[in-house]
Amino acid sequence: MLKPELWLFVFKQILRRPTRSGLTVVGVAIAMFLFAAVQTMQQGLETTTRQTAEDTALIVFQQGRFCASTSRLPERYGQAIAQMPGVKRVTPMRVVVSNCRAGLDVVTYRGVPAERWADEHGVTLKMLDGSLARWQQRRDAAIVGRTLAQRRGVQVGDSLEAAGVRVQVAGILDSDDPQDLNVAYVHLDFLQRAVGPDQLGVVTQFNVQVDDPQRLDATAQAIDERFAHDEAATATSSEKGFIAQAAGDAVQLIAFTRYVGWGCLIAVLGLIANSIVLSVQDRIKEHAVLQTLGFTGGQVARLIVVESLVLGLLGGLIGCGVALWVMHAGQFALSSEGFSIPFIASPATLLWGLLISMVLGVAAGLVPAWQASRREIASCFRAV
């Protein structure tokens, strides 16, 4: 596309107007930072709510309730659910959140039967620090997800207090499931007593695992029919479907941010195009000299397009790189009703950001390059 020696010429052209070039790169970097941040939110939303054919998890909630603080189900339901065909595992769970509204710093306690939960998950748990045995020994102990631990700055042996519940950190948990990373697992009876003495035997939900993904809907229907006329009717749905419904406000907010992302890309296109147009206007005489020395109109156009490409790539590299670093260091997650939508910063986001920056850079330089390539030498000198 361009001879190696001409790349040095392009960089010199960029450095000849350091203020203009610097402001353009900074503007592009800010826009691409916002774009990359939006992409991490969109990726987290898709990972958390997109249902797949392999999903086997169900959430049993009280019918007509979507807030963790209002769902009340008898703990005895768990025994009946466990006996239903296709049900592999049932976990009664009491959920207490520090804030029912959507937020970035919501602490979620999940109370689970200690012995049963340890038997079912002990082999697969990824403990970064502490131990499952330490958690089992203390009634007020908690296993804290990695994201929550980093955000609150707690380690094994520290106290964690939120929503009027104070626990001792017995372990730090890592997991492939984003819902495990932003919660604290505590003993079910401890959390029930902490909420109120009359809350023993009452849970917020049941997490159900079925043995065959094909039976997910049938099992959900069977559970709801079983308790339709019991003490509290249930509403059962897939875990990801329930998250999308329960965290509806957060989902809508994140979905809206895609328009912010598109706006950022338009801003990038405008910033680079404006810089290149001004640069070309300043160098009409120089382009005439280049054509006098034998440069064709196509070669002059390529010089302009490459300059535009470099500006876009530099801004994209800085903006996307900083965005991923911030998201990784901050471990952000938007929580609502006990469920979390993490901001997933992956290398793919950086690569997509760089690719889009390059495409926008080329696109922004095409029109000025075409105009410069069609300008006659005589008209160039007359324009000076």
Side-chain angles (χ1 to χ4, degrees), residues 65-89:
R65 311 293 174 85
F66 296 99
C67 178
S69 61
T70 59
S71 178
R72 298 284 186 273
L73 293 174
E75 192 175 342
R76 60 178 172 80
Y77 279 14
Q79 298 177 355
I81 296 173
Q83 296 174 359
M84 292 183 175
V87 174
K88 181 180 178 182
R89 185 170 63 217

Side-chain angles (χ1 to χ4, degrees), residues 29 46 68 75 102 106 150 231 236 252 264 272-273:
E46 183 177 353
E75 192 175 342
V106 177
Q150 291 180 359
E231 178 181 346
T236 307
Q252 290 180 9
C264 292
I272 302 176

Side-chain angles (χ1 to χ4, degrees), residues 32 265 268-269 272 305 308-313 316 351-366:
M32 291 309 298
L265 297 185
V268 169
L269 187 65
I272 302 176
V305 171
S308 179
L309 166 67
V310 171
L311 289 174
L313 186 59
L351 294 178
W352 270 111
L354 293 179
L355 179 61
I356 291 174
S357 300
M358 294 171 63
V359 171
L360 290 176
V362 171
L366 285 178

